[in-house]
Structures are given as C-alpha cells and as structure tokens.
C-alpha cells in the first residue's frame, strides 16, 4: 500500500512538473494607450502608430489604440506616424516626412502607460508646391477652354484653415484646373502630394508630362476622388508614377478635373496642397 501511495505521489509530482513545462507561467504585459498623434501646427490625417520599443518594432496600431507590450524596465519608446497611402485602407505605411516621437519610460508589468505623441515636418524637406489659399491669387488656373475657376473663400465653417479653394461645377458641365507651374521631380526618393478636400461629386487628379526634348505631352490619371461626408486629407504617393519617365528631360503639371452630368450644381473644396520630397 505504501508503495502504491509513493508511486502515485511521484506520478503526480512529475505530472505537475510537466504541466509547468507545457503551460509556463504567462508574462504580465504593460499596456500602451495612444489616442492620437498630434501634428504641430499642421492639418493632417494620421491613422496609425508604428510603435518601437528599444529599436524593436512592436506593431502597427490603428488609432486610437490600446495594446499589450511584453517588455519591462527602462525602455526607449519610439512612435512613427502612419498614414493610409493613397487613401487605401490596406496600403498603410509610415509617413517619411514627419518626425518620429521618442520618450524614455520605466515599463512596469500590469500598468497602463498613456502616450501622447506630437510630430512635425522633418528638416530639409523640399516643398515644391504649396497652396493654402491664403493669398489673393492662386497657383491653380483654368485649363484650355474650361470656364470654371477656383475661388478663395472664407465662408466654409468646417474648413481645416481660415480659407479654402472652392470650385462650383454647374449642371451639365466639366471643369479642369491645372497648376500654373510645371515641376521637375526626382526619381530617387519619395515624392508625395498631400491635400485636404471636401466634395459632393466625383473628380480626378491627373498630370501632364512634357518631354522637353521633342515637346510631346503625355497625360495620366493618378487618382479619383469620391464624394465625402466632410473634410478628408490624403497622401498620394507619386514615385511609382514618376518611374515611368526619364525625369531629367520631363516636367510635370498637375490637374484637377470632373464632369457634372446632373441637373444640380456640385462643389469641390481644396486646401493645404503640398508637393513634398527631400
């Protein structure tokens, strides 16, 4: 009888040891909370936080975010602002022109750490084209025979800034606006065009690319905007399109256009247009 009890005790002990190996004690995480990433004095639409702890990528989190982190002790935390590239939910990436935000914290398992990242544009950027509709004249003009123009207005109560550009598209009419200037663009670095917009109608963003050797012009549609419920801000990645051209002998002119086949006037509002690269 004693022998049986001893064997049962040993078997139970070995089973418990085995359970510890199969189900080891779980680590207790620290929790991070990020409500938003504030852009210093600029309008933006940052959707994600790329979070690093001690130079290791912990994950990419849609904002607002609350998530566990299996790290403890003194740590360097870096948050990189993230965007929807070309406004596409499945195409997300860090925005290369915003500063990452860093902080040193002591991470205590079981506690929640509230992070409040703030960012701004990096130094050394080339803002080739900026249109904020703050001046008497604009950098957009009617293209060819199009009569529709863009006007500066300060009467839009929900605009991201004090003034915006307004395009009124009358029934059964079209509009095309082009940038006043043409631009040389680099092919060896990231190039984005970002802008704020609000619209109750479809319109397109395109460009004319002029070959300076033979004078020929190619037109390509880049993006179609859909009607919105309010103001949106989009980051359009141009580098993939620039790769189709020899940039040394091509200049790029940007266009916005649309066609109103309804019997009602339609409205397109633009603001904070920026063509950016290093």
């Amino acid at each position: 009888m004693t022998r049986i009890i001893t064997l049962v005790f040993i078997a139970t002990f070995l089973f418990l040891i085995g359970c510890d190996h199969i189900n080891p004690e779980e680590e207790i995480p620290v929790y991070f909370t990020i409500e938003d990433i504030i852009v210093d004095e600029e309008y933006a639409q940052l959707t994600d936080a790329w979070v690093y702890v001690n130079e290791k990528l912990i994950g990419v989190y849609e904002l607002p975010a609350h998530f566990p982190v299996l790290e403890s002790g003194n740590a360097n935390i870096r948050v990189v602002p993230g965007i929807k590239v070309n406004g596409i939910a499945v195409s997300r990436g860090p925005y290369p022109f915003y500063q990452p935000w860093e902080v040193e914290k002591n991470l205590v398992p079981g506690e929640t750490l509230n992070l409040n990242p703030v960012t701004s544009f990096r130094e050394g950027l080339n803002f080739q084209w900026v249109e904020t509709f703050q001046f008497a004249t604009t950098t957009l003009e009617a293209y060819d025979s199009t009569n529709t123009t863009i006007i500066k207005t300060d009467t839009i109560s929900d605009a991201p800034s004090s003034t915006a550009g307004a395009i009124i598209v009358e029934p059964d009419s079209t509009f095309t606006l082009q940038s006043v200037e043409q631009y040389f663009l680099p092919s060896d670095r990231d190039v984005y065009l970002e802008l704020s917009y609000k619209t109750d109608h479809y319109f397109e963003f395109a460009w004319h690319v002029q070959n300076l050797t033979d004078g020929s012009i190619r037109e390509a549609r880049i993006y179609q905007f859909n009607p919105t419920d309010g103001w949106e801000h989009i980051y359009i990645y141009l580098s993939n399109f620039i790769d189709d051209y020899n940039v040394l002998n091509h200049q790029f002119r940007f266009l916005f256009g649309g066609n109103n086949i309804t019997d009602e006037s339609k409205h397109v509002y633009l603001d904070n247009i920026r063509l950016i690269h290093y």
Side-chain angles (χ1 to χ4, degrees):
M1 184 70 178
T2 302
R3 176 183 174 86
I4 294 175
I5 294 173
T6 301
L7 290 174
V8 169
F9 174 80
I10 293 173
T12 303
F13 177 73
L14 292 174
F15 173 77
L16 292 174
I17 292 176
C19 285
D20 286 341
H21 283 289
I22 296 172
N23 300 305
E25 184 177 350
E26 293 185 358
E27 293 184 67
I28 299 175
V30 60
Y31 291 88
F32 288 4
T33 295
I34 306 175
E35 293 294 333
D36 198 4
I37 300 176
I38 303 301
V39 180
D40 185 24
E41 298 181 357
E42 299 290 348
Y43 183 79
Q45 196 162 338
L46 301 178
T47 55
D48 307 313
W50 293 60
V51 180
Y52 296 78
V53 175
N54 295 329
E55 302 301 325
K56 181 176 70 175
L57 178 63
I58 300 300
V60 181
Y61 302 94
E62 187 170 12
L63 299 172
H66 179 76
F67 52 93
V69 176
L70 290 174
E71 300 285 346
S72 61
N74 294 326
N76 172 267
I77 302 168
R78 179 159 52 98
V79 178
V80 178
I83 60 170
K84 295 178 183 177
V85 181
N86 299 325
I88 301 173
V90 296
S91 180
R92 297 172 182 260
Y95 195 46
F97 305 139
Y98 284 145
Q99 296 273 8
W101 177 83
E102 294 192 36
V103 67
E104 301 286 334
K105 290 289 184 180
N106 181 37
L107 305 184
V108 180
E111 293 189 356
T112 296
L113 186 62
N114 293 306
L115 303 177
N116 301 289
V118 177
T119 188
S120 59
F121 282 115
R122 293 176 180 267
E123 295 183 358
L125 294 176
N126 185 340
F127 293 84
Q128 267 198 282
W129 179 29
V130 176
E131 178 56 81
T132 58
F133 302 98
Q134 300 291 323
F135 302 101
T137 59
T138 75
T139 55
L140 286 167
E141 62 184 7
Y143 172 74
D144 284 351
S145 60
T146 301
N147 294 322
T148 302
T149 60
I150 189 167
I151 59 174
K152 185 179 75 170
T153 178
D154 58 3
T155 61
I156 308 171
S157 60
D158 62 343
S161 57
S162 59
T163 57
I167 306 165
I168 302 174
V169 191
E170 299 298 340
D172 196 25
S173 67
T174 63
F175 82 93
T176 305
L177 300 174
Q178 66 178 10
S179 60
V180 173
E181 295 186 18
Q182 298 185 89
Y183 302 93
F184 286 106
L185 299 178
S187 61
D188 59 348
R189 66 205 75 173
D190 289 331
V191 181
Y192 275 86
L193 185 131
E194 63 169 271
L195 71 148
S196 307
Y197 69 98
K198 177 182 176 181
T199 179
D200 60 6
H201 195 60
Y202 300 93
F203 71 101
E204 295 181 348
F205 168 65
W207 64 21
H208 280 173
V209 185
Q210 183 177 16
N211 186 319
L212 300 181
T213 301
D214 60 18
S216 62
I217 294 177
R218 292 169 57 187
E219 180 177 333
R221 191 186 79 171
I222 305 297
Y223 188 82
Q224 176 175 295
F225 295 88
N226 297 323
T228 64
D229 294 327
W231 282 92
E232 300 285 345
H233 194 82
I234 192 169
Y235 304 85
I236 301 175
Y237 186 60
L238 297 178
S239 296
N240 289 340
F241 301 95
I242 295 171
D243 288 342
D244 293 337
Y245 304 92
N246 178 354
V247 294
L248 295 179
N249 68 335
H250 285 83
Q251 280 191 310
F252 299 78
R253 187 188 301 274
F254 301 99
L255 299 95
F256 296 97
N259 181 23
N260 181 11
I261 60 174
T262 73
D263 57 2
E264 298 178 347
S265 295
K266 298 297 181 179
H267 302 81
V268 175
Y269 301 103
L270 303 176
D271 202 0
N272 299 311
I273 301 172
R274 295 186 180 90
L275 176 63
I276 312 175
H277 58 78
Y278 278 103

